[in-house]
């Protein structure tokens, strides 16, 4: 779940791994996940977050191992950055980048470059570099994805990848997309959006960003893998939120492989309490059909009740801050209770 987040100013960022013609650097630099966090820490608008990310990219570069343990897995990054008023797509290749402001309709990113000729901001040397490399002849209209990736951009929208499938699902509901529609899309397995196997969808997030600033932004997080078998729990920024103990990963002090040299020599168990209980409950689901139905029914009921509560906040414009302060931690506790009641033999 380290590939997305939101801040108290209503800025949301998600990132995806992308590969292309520019070589990926294995040397330690900033990971896409670092850039997500730094953008959220330092920006109060989507465009400012974009500025933070591209400035850091210029100064420190991107690269390094995105996986703990001995396996090396490195990539470049694309970002979807949004606030209440606007949204940007930022896609990178090494230190080079292009950004597209989303003006209307729907837009998605996935594991491929998707900015073509509609470029609103860019690295000052991006076109010259592509020309020097022989990726662009300098005559025809510049196409970022065509120059920097191996893809035929004309085929991009008809290939069976996650990008194309995601676009189709969004387009099917265009003009009538609710937060529940988004959750259904994130839960979709045939499209490959909800990934299984080695590269499992580890966590999911959906945010409601009302243009009316008197309404709160509501962020739903699963905090657990496989959104089809997870609960989207709401979080609203209010003062004095307690530490979220049930969804905080353990720390290992000086023994943490991130602090030892050479780094990442072993893979620690970073699963937080909710994640661990969720995984135990899934083992039950896979073995006992009757228990599985009860468990999933209870999960759906909790989620539906939470959705009704959030809709009521948006309709009535009333926020009980004393209650909201414990909203997310209480949801996590309720979810753990459901798992515990089904884990016992």
């Amino acid at each position: 779940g380290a590939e997305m987040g939101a801040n108290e100013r209503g800025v949301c960022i998600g990132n995806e791994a992308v590969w292309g013609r520019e070589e990926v650097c294995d040397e330690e630099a900033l990971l896409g996940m670092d850039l997500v966090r730094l953008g959220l820490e330092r920006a109060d608008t989507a465009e400012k977050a974009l500025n933070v990310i591209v400035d850091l990219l210029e100064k420190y570069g991107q690269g390094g191992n995105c996986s703990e343990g001995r396996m090396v897995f490195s990539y470049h990054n694309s970002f979807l950055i949004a606030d209440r008023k606007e949204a940007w797509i930022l896609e990178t290749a090494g230190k080079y980048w292009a950004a597209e402001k989303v003006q209307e309709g729907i837009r998605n990113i996935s594991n491929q470059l998707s900015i073509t000729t509609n470029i609103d901001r860019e690295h000052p040397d991006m076109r010259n570099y592509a020309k020097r490399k022989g990726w662009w002849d300098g005559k025809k209209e510049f196409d970022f994805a065509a120059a920097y990736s191996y893809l035929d951009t004309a085929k991009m929208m008809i290939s069976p990848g996650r990008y194309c499938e995601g676009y189709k699902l969004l387009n099917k509901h265009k003009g009538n997309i609710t937060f529940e529609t988004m959750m259904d899309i994130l839960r979709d397995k045939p499209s490959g959006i909800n990934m299984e196997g080695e590269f499992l969808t580890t966590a999911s997030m959906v945010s409601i960003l009302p243009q009316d600033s008197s309404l709160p932004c509501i962020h739903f997080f699963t905090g657990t893998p496989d959104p089809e078998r997870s609960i989207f729990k709401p979080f609203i920024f209010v003062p004095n939120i307690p530490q979220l103990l049930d969804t905080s990963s353990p720390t290992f002090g000086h023994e943490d492989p991130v602090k030892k040299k050479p780094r990442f020599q072993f893979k620690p168990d970073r699963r937080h309490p909710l994640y661990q209980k969720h995984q135990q409950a899934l083992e039950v689901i896979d073995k006992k059909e009757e228990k599985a139905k009860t468990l999933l029914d209870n999960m759906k009921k909790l989620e539906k009740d939470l959705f009704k509560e959030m809709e009521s906040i948006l309709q009535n414009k009333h926020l009980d801050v004393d209650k909201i302060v414990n909203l997310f931690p209480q949801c996590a506790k309720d979810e753990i209770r459901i798992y515990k009641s089904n884990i016992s033999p």
Side-chain angles (χ1 to χ4, degrees), residues 19-32:
W19 295 267
R21 288 183 164 130
E22 184 67 354
E23 208 171 310
V24 175
C25 164
D26 288 338
E27 297 289 310
E28 280 201 25
L30 290 170
L31 301 176

Side-chain angles (χ1 to χ4, degrees), residues 37-305:
R37 290 288 168 277
L38 290 160
L40 291 171
E41 178 193 72
R42 300 176 184 186
D44 58 4
T45 69
E47 190 169 11
K48 282 185 192 168
L50 185 146
N51 292 340
V52 167
I53 293 172
V54 298
D55 289 350
L56 289 166
L57 209 52
E58 182 68 29
K59 197 169 177 183
Y60 301 104
Q62 63 179 320
N65 193 0
C66 301
S67 165
E68 285 197 307
R70 294 179 187 277
M71 181 185 89
V72 176
F73 181 55
S74 301
Y75 48 77
H76 293 148
N77 294 274
S78 67
F79 302 87
L80 198 160
I81 310 169
D83 62 25
R84 291 176 186 265
K85 303 289 182 207
E86 61 183 34
W88 288 82
I89 304 297
L90 168 64
E91 296 188 333
T92 69
K95 71 173 184 175
Y96 300 99
W97 56 273
E100 174 190 335
K101 189 173 183 181
V102 182
Q103 301 290 359
E104 59 179 4
I106 55 170
R107 188 67 166 83
N108 66 316
I109 60 170
S110 196
N111 302 114
Q112 62 190 66
L113 297 177
S114 64
I115 295 175
T116 55
T117 55
N118 187 15
I119 301 168
D120 294 296
R121 291 185 52 188
E122 64 191 71
H123 184 284
D125 196 38
M126 177 194 73
R127 293 176 196 236
N128 287 335
Y129 183 74
K131 203 171 166 184
R132 290 197 301 274
K133 285 285 203 176
W135 301 339
W136 177 52
D137 61 10
K139 292 173 190 157
K140 65 173 181 275
E141 187 179 16
F142 184 79
D143 179 323
F144 179 70
Y148 278 86
S149 73
Y150 301 108
L151 287 171
D152 174 346
T153 53
K155 289 181 183 167
M156 195 161 67
M157 291 309 296
I158 52 169
S159 68
R162 292 172 85 216
Y163 174 74
C164 175
E165 295 302 315
Y167 183 86
K168 278 188 204 160
L169 287 167
L170 286 167
N171 202 37
K172 186 176 157 188
H173 301 282
K174 192 174 175 180
N176 191 31
I177 294 174
T178 65
F179 65 90
E180 290 185 74
T181 312
M182 285 306 306
M183 290 167 189
D184 288 342
I185 291 172
L186 292 179
R187 285 170 161 154
D188 192 88
K189 284 189 173 165
S191 64
I193 287 169
N194 184 2
M195 291 169 75
E196 297 183 281
E198 188 186 355
F199 291 103
L200 176 74
T201 292
T202 46
S204 305
M205 164 185 160
V206 171
S207 290
I208 304 170
L209 307 176
Q211 289 191 313
D212 178 351
S213 60
S214 71
L215 295 172
C217 294
I218 302 176
H219 312 282
F220 293 91
F221 298 96
T222 60
T224 53
D226 186 353
E228 193 184 24
R229 304 198 288 187
S230 291
I231 296 171
F232 278 94
K233 298 166 285 298
F235 178 94
I236 298 172
F237 281 96
V238 291
N240 307 316
I241 286 175
Q243 194 182 349
L244 307 176
L245 298 173
D246 288 323
T247 47
S248 294
S249 290
T251 51
F252 299 90
H254 296 300
E255 292 305 304
D256 198 312
V258 79
K259 292 182 179 167
K260 292 195 159 198
K261 294 285 174 86
R263 304 209 298 157
F264 307 123
Q265 291 304 290
F266 69 93
K267 190 171 180 168
D269 185 354
R270 296 198 188 276
R271 294 176 304 162
H272 51 66
L274 174 67
Y275 196 121
Q276 289 184 343
K277 286 286 173 268
H278 177 266
Q279 294 299 86
Q280 288 170 13
L282 285 196
E283 285 173 25
V284 172
I285 286 181
D286 292 334
K287 288 175 191 160
K288 298 177 181 173
E289 206 173 303
E290 205 172 301
K291 270 200 168 182
K293 187 178 180 330
T294 308
L295 177 62
L296 290 166
D297 284 350
N298 289 339
M299 288 167 71
K300 280 201 182 88
K301 184 183 182 313
L302 173 59
E303 191 181 69
K304 277 282 179 214
D305 290 346

